[in-house]
Amino acid sequence: MICGFSRSISCCICRCYTKCIPLPVLTQLLIFGHVLDVVTEFIEGLVETYPGLQYLDGFPEVKVVLRADVSGATYDKVAVVSGGGSGHEPAHAGFVGEGMLTAAICGDVFASPPIDSILAGIRAVTGPSGCLLIVKNYTGDRLNFGLAAEQAKSEGYKVEMVIVGDDCALPPPRGIAGRRGLAGTILVHKIAGAAAASGLSLEEVAAEAKRASDMVGTMGVALSVCTLPGQVTPDRLGPGKMELGLGIHGEPGAAVADLQPVDIVVSHVLNQILSTETNYVPITRGNRVVLMINGLGATPLMELMIAAGKAVPRLQLEHGLAVDRVYTGSFMTSLDMAGFSITVMKADQAILNRLDAPTKAPNWPVAADGNHPPAKIPVPVPRSRSKKNDEILSRPEQLSPLGHILEVAIEAAATAIINLRDNLNEWDSIVGDGDCGSTMSKGASAILEDMKKCYPLNDPAETVGEIGSSIRKVMGGTSGVIYDIFFKAAYAQLKANSNSGITALHWAGALEAAIAAVSKYGGAKAGYRTLLDALIPASSVLKEKLASGEDPVEAFVSSAEAAVAGAESTKNMQAQAGRSSYVSAEILASVADPGAMAAASWYRAAVLAVKECK
């Protein structure tokens, strides 16, 4: 025995299995054959194993697992949808079933699922009662699920999103990254799923999920690094070492320490979760709690039970808590990582009732089986509500006066970004990764090309929506998702007013809605040194000038000047988002934020072009 565990974990600690092929690599060589097939083949096996689960037609590109008995056209309860990168099985697909998740969206290994897959899942299971998205707090997941939510809302679906960040390993972070989403997310799934099954409204289900997420804390301990399919296991940990406070993607933990007996490790983790200094969870002596001991992939159930046996008396005696439920097993893994995480959730009778409610999700501890159907018939991928009868948008043969102005403004904005490409790259090489100009220029070029063919310029709302689609096709990284969210949110706002004719006030409202969506899903606010530091001042000045009765064109010109001033002011800001947040204040002060400068540039160019038209 080493570290209080049995020989299986001791073997991992001693690096015994570095003498052979790591298990996921061996499995892939024998079974899978191709690295890119692992998620596809996992889902194929999953739906054959559990008859209550099905996948969408369009598989394998659209990797969505859903309840076989649910159709968005007829489902009369709130749909609960989650997902994320694969490699965490049984999360998330293993928790799809009546009383828990309605659908799970599967990304590639440790990669956020694509927006189109998320949208397909929403459309497949969402009826008139709406859909709740439960998202772990990682930037990719937040942005991709957020953009899908905005697109779905623009199509008429009711969608809410709850972000779970239950990590208690790190001190309160600076900036917007926040706490990572870990195994506590599974408890939120169960509570939300039970609330939805009881017939509550979307707002009520979202409120219960948010309340649950605010009451849960998790911390992990690793004794090995996970192996990505087709790759050799990295040897980050030396013999006799363990990692405390790691994430679920193999990223380094908060600290590396010498191996300790399991009771000491458990005590340390519980003290961290329940710390009154960080106050991550509102748990005090006398409270009732739920405990989850979660295996990270290569830890036998026997050893997880040992950890559970150590944790319960410490919660009772050292922390004065009543432990009402204990869940032990593998809920959210990290491929073949040896180790475990501990989750503690504050409980009351309402939460216990949700956790005890029946579910047919196959990997919840009290799951129930169904009968095997005679055949597996793929569920059709629902069509987007934003285009009627497979309508293909196209450029009108003759432009209206408004259509001509819109064309001139779009062309000016895109051209300004293309001309600024080298400068943006130069600025970004100082405070980022040097590709801001190239990325933005790709999007601008795609906009110019698509405008010649498919922008319905006489319809401003639809044109704004198509700009987002153009960006989605070519702009990679965070910028592409952020701008797609921006234009989809603006589209939804304009669409609501398109019947009465779009005025300057409507454009101001669309700008405000777009800014709010980017802030909501990206997490940035004024002063965070992002593109919002150009657009927020522009929006504020525009609203003020229009409210005072100023000529609309002059109001927009004033707002463009505010955008440029706001972008320049980012030199004096400490970055709290993106790669710039790792750069020193001295270096940041030498250049304005490239994203803010790009936003000010296209906004100003569009406004001045409109002024010339007038």
Side-chain angles (χ1 to χ4, degrees):
M1 296 279 284
I2 296 179
C3 188
F5 288 104
S6 65
R7 290 182 58 83
S8 55
I9 284 189
S10 301
C11 180
C12 293
I13 293 172
C14 297
R15 322 313 284 170
C16 174
Y17 66 60
T18 60
K19 300 175 183 177
C20 60
I21 299 175
L23 181 58
V25 180
L26 178 61
T27 302
Q28 184 174 315
L29 291 173
L30 294 176
I31 301 175
F32 295 114
H34 299 285
V35 173
L36 296 179
D37 291 340
V38 292
V39 178
T40 298
E41 295 185 11
F42 152 69
I43 294 175
E44 288 173 339
L46 181 79
V47 299
E48 291 298 336
T49 303
Y50 300 115
L53 305 184
Q54 184 57 288
Y55 56 76
L56 286 179
D57 194 5
F59 181 85
E61 285 76 17
V62 178
K63 298 180 177 70
V64 177
V65 177
L66 66 156
R67 285 173 52 181
D69 62 332
V70 168
S71 167
T74 59
Y75 194 51
D76 61 353
K77 294 180 179 177
V78 173
V80 181
V81 177
S82 190
S86 297
H88 306 303
E89 290 70 33
H92 302 83
F95 299 109
V96 174
E98 182 181 344
M100 208 161 175
L101 296 181
T102 321
I105 322 298
C106 303
D108 290 330
V109 174
F110 292 172
S112 179
I115 294 159
D116 289 341
S117 290
I118 301 169
L119 263 175
I122 294 171
R123 293 169 183 154
V125 297
T126 304
S129 296
C131 172
L132 174 65
L133 300 177
I134 299 177
V135 181
K136 298 189 302 302
N137 188 32
Y138 294 95
T139 300
D141 286 354
R142 285 180 58 160
L143 289 174
N144 287 349
F145 276 87
L147 177 52
E150 287 303 308
Q151 173 67 30
K153 284 191 275 191
S154 75
E155 296 176 15
Y157 293 96
K158 294 166 56 180
V159 182
E160 295 288 345
M161 191 165 95
V162 170
I163 297 171
V164 182
D166 55 315
D167 182 19
C168 295
L170 302 173
R174 182 187 69 185
I176 62 175
R179 300 162 62 190
R180 298 169 292 192
L182 303 175
T185 310
I186 305 304
L187 296 177
V188 180
H189 290 166
K190 181 63 178 68
I191 290 165
S198 72
L200 295 185
S201 68
L202 175 59
E203 293 74 19
E204 291 169 326
V205 174
E208 287 207 19
K210 179 63 170 63
R211 179 172 180 263
S213 70
D214 290 340
M215 294 186 175
V216 65
T218 300
M219 181 174 171
V221 179
L223 307 181
S224 74
V225 181
C226 64
T227 305
L228 292 172
Q231 299 184 26
V232 177
T233 308
D235 194 18
R236 189 170 71 230
L237 293 176
K241 298 292 183 179
M242 62 181 178
E243 202 159 26
L244 301 170
L246 68 159
I248 55 173
H249 304 104
E251 65 265 45
V256 174
D258 293 331
L259 287 173
Q260 299 291 326
V262 63
D263 52 347
I264 293 178
V265 174
V266 168
S267 180
H268 172 79
V269 171
L270 292 177
N271 288 339
Q272 185 76 11
I273 294 172
L274 300 169
S275 168
T276 56
E277 294 182 7
T278 55
N279 199 31
Y280 272 148
V281 287
I283 298 174
T284 57
R285 297 185 72 87
N287 287 160
R288 304 165 72 181
V289 297
V290 167
L291 171 69
M292 173 182 281
I293 305 294
N294 170 61
L296 296 178
T299 308
L301 183 60
M302 175 186 289
E303 293 168 0
L304 297 178
M305 291 296 181
I306 292 173
K310 303 294 184 182
V312 172
R314 278 166 176 74
L315 286 170
Q316 294 170 330
L317 300 176
E318 295 179 10
H319 298 280
L321 302 173
V323 183
D324 282 320
R325 302 288 186 278
V326 179
Y327 302 103
T328 302
S330 292
F331 298 90
M332 184 174 287
T333 64
S334 186
L335 291 171
D336 65 330
M337 185 178 287
F340 64 96
S341 66
I342 297 179
T343 297
V344 182
M345 172 183 272
K346 185 177 180 179
D348 55 23
Q349 194 56 50
I351 283 180
L352 295 177
N353 290 342
R354 297 301 189 206
L355 293 172
D356 293 344
T359 177
K360 292 185 178 179
N363 287 107
W364 182 253
V366 293
D369 278 337
N371 296 319
H372 281 274
K376 288 284 180 182
I377 303 174
V379 178
V381 174
R383 294 173 180 170
S384 169
R385 291 181 181 175
S386 61
K387 296 184 179 67
K388 300 177 181 178
N389 301 321
D390 294 328
E391 173 189 359
I392 298 175
L393 297 177
S394 62
R395 180 188 174 92
E397 293 183 5
Q398 185 171 356
L399 293 179
S400 66
L402 178 58
H404 173 68
I405 292 174
L406 200 55
E407 179 183 42
V408 170
I410 293 171
E411 183 174 5
T415 302
I417 289 298
I418 293 171
N419 292 339
L420 198 61
R421 170 183 168 170
D422 292 343
N423 286 336
L424 289 174
N425 280 341
E426 180 183 352
W427 299 332
D428 196 38
S429 67
I430 298 172
V431 297
D433 53 8
D435 67 349
C436 178
S438 299
T439 301
M440 294 290 295
S441 181
K442 284 181 183 178
S445 298
I447 289 169
L448 291 177
E449 185 64 28
D450 289 348
M451 187 170 65
K452 300 174 185 177
K453 301 176 294 183
C454 60
Y455 284 9
L457 292 163
N458 293 341
D459 186 331
E462 292 294 343
T463 298
V464 168
E466 287 303 299
I467 291 174
S469 298
S470 298
I471 288 171
R472 182 193 301 179
K473 289 188 299 184
V474 298
M475 277 182 67
T478 301
S479 296
V481 179
I482 285 176
Y483 269 105
D484 200 359
I485 288 174
F486 180 90
F487 284 106
K488 283 296 186 292
Y491 161 80
Q493 186 71 16
L494 291 171
K495 191 69 174 176
N497 298 292
S498 58
N499 292 333
S500 59
I502 295 177
T503 66
L505 285 173
H506 292 143
W507 283 111
L511 176 60
E512 186 176 23
I515 290 170
V518 170
S519 180
K520 176 181 178 181
Y521 296 115
K525 297 180 176 63
Y528 276 31
R529 206 177 197 271
T530 71
L531 81 167
L532 294 186
D533 289 304
L535 296 177
I536 289 174
S539 178
S540 298
V541 169
L542 181 59
K543 285 176 60 180
E544 178 185 341
K545 297 292 184 181
L546 291 175
S548 67
E550 186 168 318
D551 175 75
V553 173
E554 294 304 320
F556 273 98
V557 171
S558 296
S559 73
E561 295 170 355
V564 173
E568 291 287 352
S569 73
T570 59
K571 288 183 179 179
N572 303 317
M573 297 177 186
Q574 174 63 47
Q576 299 189 64
R579 290 181 173 86
S580 294
S581 60
Y582 303 107
V583 178
S584 71
E586 181 180 359
I587 294 175
L588 291 176
S590 67
V591 62
D593 177 68
M597 293 297 290
S601 176
W602 66 253
Y603 186 85
R604 182 174 183 272
V607 167
L608 294 182
V610 171
K611 183 178 181 181
E612 287 297 320
C613 285
K614 295 293 186 179

